[in-house]
Amino acid sequence: MSDSSKKEITDLHTRIQKLKEDLQTSKSAKMNAEQGNAKREKITKMSAEVVDSNPYSRLMALKRMGIVDDYERIREKTIIVVGVGGVGSIVADMLTRCGAGKLILFDYDKVELANMNRLFYQPHQSGLSKVEAAKDTLIHINPDVEFETHNMNITTMENFNKFVDRIRHGSLTGGKVDLVLSCVDNFEARMTINTACNEEMQIWMESGVSENAVSGHIQFIEPGRTACFACLPPLVVAMNIDEKTLKRDGVCAASLPTTMAVVAGFLVQNTLKYLLKFGEVSMYVGYNALNDFFPKESMLANPECDDKYCRKRQKEYKERIANEKVVEKEIVIESDQITHEDNDWGIELVEESAPEIKQETRKVAEGLQLLYDPVKHVEMESAETSSPAIDLSSLMAQLKEMNK
Amino acid sequence: MSDSSKKEITDLHTRIQKLKEDLQTSKSAKMNAEQGNAKREKITKMSAEVVDSNPYSRLMALKRMGIVDDYERIREKTIIVVGVGGVGSIVADMLTRCGAGKLILFDYDKVELANMNRLFYQPHQSGLSKVEAAKDTLIHINPDVEFETHNMNITTMENFNKFVDRIRHGSLTGGKVDLVLSCVDNFEARMTINTACNEEMQIWMESGVSENAVSGHIQFIEPGRTACFACLPPLVVAMNIDEKTLKRDGVCAASLPTTMAVVAGFLVQNTLKYLLKFGEVSMYVGYNALNDFFPKESMLANPECDDKYCRKRQKEYKERIANEKVVEKEIVIESDQITHEDNDWGIELVEESAPEIKQETRKVAEGLQLLYDPVKHVEMESAETSSPAIDLSSLMAQLKEMNK
């Protein structure tokens, strides 16, 4: 071999060596860029040990603080979250970090840059389905949580059946889930959840944020005991602004990360209180951000509800109360600002015995209003304490029309 | 050159070509892994256009909804966030997504797995300084926001001066910042912020979450007008549990993502209302998660405050009121649950004229308590309406002792 050939071959070997090193460096850099995907190992048992490496130390401290008796039970719980947008994504994030056993996420929307004014999603996820984007993030935050995602609209007949099946068989042990959380932004999806939960006798919680971004609410719904979503028009926080500005067609709804995080916080707080049995589970908490006002309310099921399963659950509930002679614990938390005796707008409160509601007295507390209430103007004109009857079925029909 | 040499050289060139391709693939993969870092371009002007690609459409809709007159002004604002832990990181996240002009972040802590029960940080960030980890995430969420980070403890003399300098010169135009938000978890840091803000006549807001994770509050502080942090012991939400369990030494504090997100939501909501002039800025909002109770309160500056700058600001405030004969707008929002006339525990409310506070009547509304109040037990014994005098300077001395 000639010297020049030897030299060329040696040089080529040097170049190959250099390229190999570059490749190794590049592969390491890629791994570093992806390292988030591997860092947190699964943890078999929740520990209360106070060390920086324990992701559960601050939650297990709730036991030592006397707040929760048995925090670990969160790992047995399965929660369905319908809608992982501005509220639902934070709800799923909170439940993941709290160490819930299993989350079942439903949504059919994609992440867009227009969602970036709310927490959770990031610009690089644009175009991904929300359920997949949420799962991808959450599974690395807490690999102990089991995720099941459904990129589908639950309001079609086929998907409704799938949704009902997941309520019935979605839990970690293949049984009924523990709770359904509604974080959707439209009437039809809420009604679908309502129908399914009435059928399945499934306790659920509703959440909502107004189109002007400055009010919201959460609501606890136990079929047969509390008003379902078909019992009466949705209760929303009254805003002292011209409501007509909120309902113009084709107007893009406003949203704020603040209001959505507060509503998500209330919803998951109520979820934790319900699942882990501490504090008082709230029936309804409203939030008016403009003046930091938090109306509360509690609404009983409507015996004339359109939903036959709601009526069936009411019958069962009455029978259960009567047969078991259970003295039910008072679940009502009275509205913050009002004295019910003096309040023309007071709604009937939940009694300790089986409920008996008169439709003609169905009104709401100060700071709240039914989403649609044609009788209100009549009220305004006559300042009498006796109230005109509200035709609920007509109300609901109009509401449905409005939300088409 | 021999045929064998030619063959060897050709083979080596083939290997080099292959390695070059592998390197290119690897580099692309690294870029893909990092792609989040590049996806969202800067936007020169906030637009209200309703398209999926506009990250500001839902915020600009606040104008059309009649909530905010001039949302774009958020881009001129500079906000200092001290403490980017469980509350502060969400506060910074919200302000980033809302499109604030500039955020100045202070913290001296590192991200740990033990932080993963709160929102925002992810396991792969463990070991990074919180301010850097926060900036790295936030700058990709919204590259229009300017970030300045300080990985330091503001309570040392040198760092205090740096902190004061940033209040004075930190804004986008090199002038005074618009607001300081305190999201710290200890007394000393709060006192440091208080001292700096009194000196600089800087409006700020305080936030806090209890060690048992189920209560919190936000507070608006305008030096000279409202009570500063040295005027009287911090006002916290009263919990119906044994307080001794909260204060044991060496006990790891509990925390929940829910409570922290609610407090962060209240704080940034109040920030937006203050900076963009809509709704009513709240002086104090408490949150008791156990029963969804939200006490409100409003406290005037204490003429005998230990902080000489506070007393100076009070004098200036009185003079301003007197000289300008400004009829001040009522800023008090009354406590939700109480009738002040009948309330033995009612604190003095802010008057429309310059404040005049009698120390002996300084008590707090239902649902609230001073963090340290040795006179309370005396109160309990005598159910009279007249109240014993509270020696505030002694109280503060004891509080300082307690927090050493």
Side-chain angles (χ1 to χ4, degrees):
Chain A
M1 199 184 284
S2 69
D3 277 0
S4 72
S5 291
K6 277 186 186 164
K7 174 78 170 68
E8 187 172 355
I9 287 170
T10 308
D11 285 353
L12 286 171
H13 276 290
T14 308
R15 276 180 68 188
I16 284 173
Q17 189 54 38
K18 178 74 173 57
L19 275 167
K20 277 184 172 172
E21 283 166 15
D22 287 355
L23 184 60
Q24 195 51 49
T25 306
S26 175
K27 281 184 175 165
S28 301
K30 173 175 169 280
M31 275 183 65
N32 284 340
E34 293 173 342
Q35 70 177 350
N37 305 1
K39 266 271 176 95
R40 155 87 154 82
E41 300 296 323
K42 283 199 182 197
I43 292 172
T44 315
K45 193 175 181 307
M46 278 190 174
S47 149
E49 196 189 358
V50 183
V51 286
D52 287 343
S53 58
N54 178 8
Y56 296 122
S57 59
R58 304 311 181 99
L59 295 165
M60 292 294 277
L62 288 164
K63 293 171 69 174
R64 213 169 28 223
M65 293 280 174
I67 302 294
V68 182
D69 286 339
D70 193 3
Y71 189 85
E72 300 94 315
R73 290 192 58 199
I74 192 86
R75 298 193 97 165
E76 301 159 10
K77 307 298 181 186
T78 299
I79 301 124
I80 292 181
V81 181
V82 188
V84 286
V87 172
S89 62
I90 303 298
V91 163
D93 196 358
M94 288 171 173
L95 290 169
T96 298
R97 290 171 185 271
C98 284
K102 180 177 173 184
L103 296 181
I104 304 178
L105 311 178
F106 283 88
D107 207 313
Y108 60 96
D109 209 3
K110 281 193 161 53
V111 178
E112 307 286 359
L113 281 183
N115 305 140
M116 294 307 136
N117 69 317
R118 283 90 91 184
L119 300 177
F120 193 71
Y121 294 112
Q122 300 202 12
H124 70 90
Q125 296 175 309
S126 300
L128 298 176
S129 82
K130 284 184 178 172
V131 288
E132 277 310 310
K135 181 186 167 181
D136 284 351
T137 302
L138 297 175
I139 209 158
H140 298 129
I141 288 173
N142 190 347
D144 300 332
V145 180
E146 189 173 311
F147 293 94
E148 180 183 309
T149 58
H150 299 278
N151 187 16
M152 62 160 72
N153 180 347
I154 61 167
T155 65
T156 68
M157 183 55 78
E158 190 190 336
N159 292 344
F160 175 80
N161 291 335
K162 178 78 179 165
F163 177 55
V164 168
D165 175 77
R166 299 327 293 150
I167 291 177
R168 222 180 271 178
H169 303 297
S171 87
L172 283 168
T173 53
K176 206 172 160 186
V177 300
D178 296 282
L179 190 65
V180 173
L181 298 177
S182 164
C183 305
V184 299
D185 62 358
N186 66 85
F187 179 76
E188 201 184 358
R190 282 188 179 89
M191 269 306 201
T192 303
I193 297 166
N194 189 69
T195 304
C197 290
N198 277 338
E199 272 187 38
E200 297 302 308
M201 181 59 219
Q202 173 62 56
I203 288 178
W204 62 293
M205 295 191 203
E206 215 282 293
S207 68
V209 172
S210 65
E211 288 196 357
N212 68 357
V214 289
S215 76
H217 71 273
I218 65 155
Q219 186 172 349
F220 175 93
I221 299 164
E222 181 177 340
R225 182 189 188 190
T226 67
C228 87
F229 208 73
C231 280
L232 76 170
L235 196 62
V236 296
V237 176
M239 305 300 296
N240 296 324
I241 51 176
D242 184 358
E243 287 164 46
K244 283 194 290 290
T245 63
L246 303 185
K247 304 223 172 108
R248 284 179 305 193
D249 277 340
V251 169
C252 161
S255 59
L256 281 166
T258 45
T259 309
M260 289 190 160
V262 168
V263 169
F266 288 172
L267 191 66
V268 178
Q269 200 83 279
N270 220 32
T271 295
L272 294 174
K273 289 193 284 184
Y274 169 70
L275 294 177
L276 301 177
K277 303 186 194 310
F278 68 96
E280 295 166 20
V281 176
S282 287
M283 296 296 113
Y284 184 99
V285 185
Y287 170 43
N288 182 341
L290 291 183
N291 58 356
D292 286 318
F293 173 56
F294 304 88
K296 286 186 179 181
E297 193 53 90
S298 182
M299 293 168 299
L300 290 182
N302 172 8
E304 289 160 42
C305 181
D306 271 353
D307 186 315
K308 68 173 180 183
Y309 280 102
C310 177
R311 297 196 305 274
K312 185 162 180 274
R313 301 304 165 213
Q314 290 184 50
K315 196 159 161 271
E316 288 165 3
Y317 177 70
K318 279 191 183 177
E319 284 167 5
R320 202 166 69 241
I321 295 290
N323 291 340
E324 296 176 14
K325 293 191 199 309
V326 172
V327 178
E328 208 191 15
K329 202 175 158 234
E330 178 67 73
I331 58 163
V332 175
I333 301 145
E334 292 205 4
S335 175
D336 277 342
Q337 278 199 333
I338 58 165
T339 314
H340 281 275
E341 289 75 5
D342 307 330
N343 174 33
D344 287 353
W345 294 81
I347 197 164
E348 289 271 286
L349 293 173
V350 177
E351 300 291 325
E352 289 191 19
S353 58
E356 185 88 46
I357 300 190
K358 289 178 188 68
Q359 290 309 312
E360 59 274 20
T361 60
R362 194 180 281 280
K363 307 225 210 97
V364 298
E366 196 180 317
L368 290 172
Q369 65 186 26
L370 298 174
L371 187 56
Y372 189 67
D373 187 352
V375 193
K376 200 171 167 188
H377 304 288
V378 181
E379 290 285 328
M380 293 303 181
E381 285 163 31
S382 73
E384 296 167 323
T385 40
S386 71
S387 325
I390 297 175
D391 179 354
L392 270 183
S393 55
S394 144
L395 266 185
M396 291 308 291
Q398 287 176 74
L399 184 65
K400 278 174 198 163
E401 195 60 38
M402 211 175 83
N403 282 282
K404 261 184 186 165
Chain B
M1 197 183 285
S2 69
D3 278 358
S4 71
S5 291
K6 276 186 186 165
K7 175 75 170 65
E8 186 170 357
I9 288 170
T10 308
D11 285 353
L12 286 170
H13 275 291
T14 307
R15 276 180 71 188
I16 286 172
Q17 189 54 38
K18 179 71 174 55
L19 276 168
K20 276 185 172 173
E21 283 167 15
D22 287 354
L23 184 60
Q24 194 51 49
T25 305
S26 175
K27 281 185 174 166
S28 301
K30 172 174 171 282
M31 275 184 64
N32 284 339
E34 292 175 344
Q35 68 176 350
N37 305 4
K39 267 272 176 97
R40 154 89 152 81
E41 301 295 323
K42 284 199 181 195
I43 291 172
T44 316
K45 193 175 181 306
M46 278 191 175
S47 148
E49 197 190 357
V50 183
V51 287
D52 286 344
S53 58
N54 178 8
Y56 295 123
S57 60
R58 303 311 181 100
L59 295 164
M60 292 293 277
L62 288 164
K63 294 170 70 173
R64 214 170 28 222
M65 294 279 176
I67 302 295
V68 182
D69 286 340
D70 193 3
Y71 190 83
E72 299 95 313
R73 292 191 58 200
I74 192 85
R75 299 193 94 166
E76 301 159 11
K77 307 298 182 187
T78 299
I79 302 123
I80 292 182
V81 181
V82 188
V84 286
V87 172
S89 61
I90 303 298
V91 163
D93 196 356
M94 287 172 173
L95 290 169
T96 298
R97 290 172 186 270
C98 284
K102 181 177 173 183
L103 296 180
I104 304 178
L105 311 178
F106 284 86
D107 206 312
Y108 60 97
D109 209 3
K110 281 192 162 52
V111 178
E112 306 287 0
L113 280 183
N115 305 139
M116 294 306 136
N117 69 319
R118 283 90 90 184
L119 300 177
F120 193 73
Y121 294 112
Q122 300 202 11
H124 69 91
Q125 295 174 309
S126 300
L128 298 176
S129 83
K130 283 184 178 172
V131 288
E132 277 310 311
K135 181 186 167 181
D136 283 351
T137 302
L138 297 175
I139 209 160
H140 299 129
I141 289 173
N142 190 348
D144 299 332
V145 180
E146 191 173 310
F147 293 93
E148 181 183 309
T149 59
H150 299 278
N151 189 16
M152 62 159 74
N153 180 348
I154 61 167
T155 65
T156 70
M157 183 56 79
E158 190 190 336
N159 292 344
F160 176 80
N161 292 336
K162 176 78 180 167
F163 177 56
V164 168
D165 175 76
R166 298 329 291 148
I167 291 176
R168 221 180 272 177
H169 303 298
S171 85
L172 284 168
T173 53
K176 202 170 162 187
V177 302
D178 296 282
L179 191 66
V180 173
L181 298 177
S182 164
C183 305
V184 300
D185 62 358
N186 66 85
F187 180 77
E188 201 184 1
R190 283 188 179 88
M191 269 305 201
T192 303
I193 297 167
N194 189 68
T195 305
C197 290
N198 277 337
E199 272 188 38
E200 298 301 309
M201 182 57 222
Q202 173 63 55
I203 288 178
W204 63 294
M205 294 189 204
E206 215 281 292
S207 68
V209 173
S210 65
E211 287 195 358
N212 67 357
V214 288
S215 75
H217 71 273
I218 64 156
Q219 187 172 350
F220 175 94
I221 300 164
E222 180 178 340
R225 182 190 189 188
T226 66
C228 88
F229 208 72
C231 279
L232 76 172
L235 195 64
V236 296
V237 175
M239 305 299 298
N240 295 325
I241 50 176
D242 185 358
E243 286 163 47
K244 281 195 291 291
T245 63
L246 304 184
K247 305 226 172 104
R248 284 178 303 193
D249 277 340
V251 168
C252 162
S255 58
L256 281 166
T258 45
T259 308
M260 291 193 157
V262 167
V263 169
F266 288 172
L267 191 66
V268 178
Q269 200 83 279
N270 221 32
T271 296
L272 294 174
K273 290 194 283 183
Y274 169 70
L275 294 177
L276 301 177
K277 303 185 194 311
F278 68 95
E280 295 166 21
V281 176
S282 288
M283 296 296 113
Y284 184 99
V285 185
Y287 170 44
N288 182 340
L290 291 182
N291 59 356
D292 286 317
F293 174 55
F294 305 87
K296 286 186 179 181
E297 194 51 270
S298 183
M299 293 168 298
L300 290 183
N302 172 7
E304 289 160 40
C305 181
D306 274 352
D307 186 317
K308 68 173 179 182
Y309 280 102
C310 176
R311 297 196 305 275
K312 186 162 179 274
R313 300 304 164 211
Q314 291 183 50
K315 196 159 161 271
E316 289 165 3
Y317 177 71
K318 280 189 182 177
E319 285 166 5
R320 203 164 69 240
I321 295 291
N323 291 340
E324 297 176 12
K325 295 189 197 310
V326 173
V327 178
E328 206 191 16
K329 200 175 158 234
E330 179 65 78
I331 57 161
V332 175
I333 302 147
E334 291 204 5
S335 175
D336 277 342
Q337 278 200 332
I338 58 165
T339 314
H340 282 274
E341 288 75 5
D342 307 331
N343 174 35
D344 286 351
W345 294 82
I347 195 162
E348 289 272 284
L349 293 171
V350 177
E351 300 291 323
E352 289 193 18
S353 57
E356 185 88 47
I357 302 192
K358 288 177 190 67
Q359 290 309 312
E360 60 273 21
T361 62
R362 195 179 281 278
K363 307 226 208 95
V364 300
E366 196 181 318
L368 289 172
Q369 65 186 28
L370 297 175
L371 187 56
Y372 188 69
D373 187 353
V375 192
K376 200 170 165 186
H377 305 289
V378 180
E379 290 282 328
M380 294 303 184
E381 285 162 28
S382 73
E384 296 167 321
T385 40
S386 71
S387 324
I390 298 175
D391 179 355
L392 271 183
S393 55
S394 145
L395 264 185
M396 290 308 291
Q398 287 178 73
L399 184 64
K400 278 173 200 164
E401 198 59 40
M402 209 174 84
N403 281 282
K404 259 183 188 166

